[in-house]
Amino acid sequence: MNYNGIEYNECEEVYPPAEDTFLLIDNLIINDTDKVLEIGTGSGVVSISASLKCIEVTSTDINPHAIKCAESNIKLNNRENITVILSDLFENIEDKYDLILFNTPYLPVIEEEHVDDDYSKAWDGGESGREVIDKFIEQAPSYLKKGGRIQLVQSSLSDNEKTLKIFEKMGLKAEITAVEHIFFEDITLITAYK
């Protein structure tokens, strides 16, 4: 498969690139001197795209299948400025970055429909759709350089206004920078500046 010149393979047990992935790729706010961190890299296509425009990318995922998939797609695109790390959010991250990217697990999932496997961690946002988003926003500013940016994808179903308010409460200026309407929801890209 190919998106914007990036070759990739989809992998079992890994969230495949979709509209939310491409919304993030198409709206990256990135500089050639940036050190970039992507949380939840999945197949690695966002990190590969970012790596073409910056110094280095660190890609993480909680799903070991995604780590293998991302590594394989990185090799397929001959990218040598990407490091892949198994990590639950910032658990294994020590550095600070100019840009942090996260296509969040944003779908509201009621307890009875919750499945505890590697694949569903890519989209299951808990009952409110905010379980992982809120944890991420709480931790992310500590890993962001002064003047850095966070770009986060979520759904209108998981309360965009709440995300904007929490970022502002934490001292970041946040705004919706891109929207794509899909079926019964808007997929939104929120950019926050430190």
Side-chain angles (χ1 to χ4, degrees):
M1 303 192 140
N2 188 304
Y3 186 75
N4 274 4
I6 296 165
E7 296 284 331
Y8 67 92
N9 293 309
E10 292 181 357
C11 308
E12 276 186 43
E13 300 293 317
V14 179
Y15 182 78
E19 293 90 349
D20 49 3
T21 314
F22 305 135
L23 181 71
L24 182 53
I25 288 172
D26 293 344
N27 293 281
L28 287 173
I29 299 173
I30 195 164
N31 301 311
D32 56 6
T33 56
D34 282 349
K35 280 179 61 177
V36 177
L37 171 65
E38 184 188 13
I39 301 290
T41 194
S43 64
V45 295
V46 173
S47 285
I48 293 164
S49 181
S51 78
L52 300 169
K53 303 170 184 171
C54 71
I55 291 178
E56 64 180 63
V57 178
T58 301
S59 307
T60 73
D61 208 290
I62 192 172
N63 178 352
H65 302 284
I67 296 296
K68 285 185 190 141
C69 187
E71 287 173 338
S72 162
N73 284 324
I74 290 163
K75 194 178 261 186
L76 184 64
N77 287 274
N78 299 310
R79 302 308 301 153
E80 294 183 2
N81 60 339
I82 305 174
T83 304
V84 184
I85 299 172
L86 183 68
S87 184
D88 180 357
L89 293 177
F90 298 93
E91 180 182 57
N92 297 319
I93 299 299
E94 292 164 14
D95 221 340
K96 288 191 183 242
Y97 297 86
D98 302 290
L99 175 62
I100 300 175
L101 306 170
F102 191 19
N103 184 359
T104 68
Y106 54 69
L107 287 180
V109 176
I110 59 170
E111 190 60 42
E112 298 79 63
E113 292 175 359
H114 172 75
V115 180
D116 194 18
D117 65 5
D118 290 329
Y119 179 67
S120 63
K121 287 177 180 156
W123 48 265
D124 183 341
E127 292 207 20
S128 66
R130 298 199 55 85
E131 203 170 280
V132 181
I133 294 170
D134 289 341
K135 259 195 254 180
F136 169 81
I137 295 173
E138 187 183 301
Q139 297 172 24
S142 304
Y143 297 89
L144 196 61
K145 291 181 182 177
K146 194 172 179 359
R149 294 147 337 272
I150 294 169
Q151 290 193 280
L152 171 154
V153 177
Q154 72 170 71
S155 162
S156 54
L157 300 175
S158 47
D159 197 346
N160 294 324
E161 283 307 309
K162 187 167 185 186
T163 298
L164 295 171
K165 282 183 184 142
I166 297 172
F167 270 133
E168 288 181 19
K169 200 168 122 189
M170 298 196 73
L172 280 75
K173 182 182 177 296
E175 60 186 347
I176 294 174
T177 49
V179 178
E180 182 155 335
H181 185 73
I182 300 170
F183 306 119
F184 48 85
E185 63 182 325
D186 286 334
I187 303 298
T188 53
L189 176 61
I190 294 174
T191 303
Y193 304 85
K194 189 169 187 179

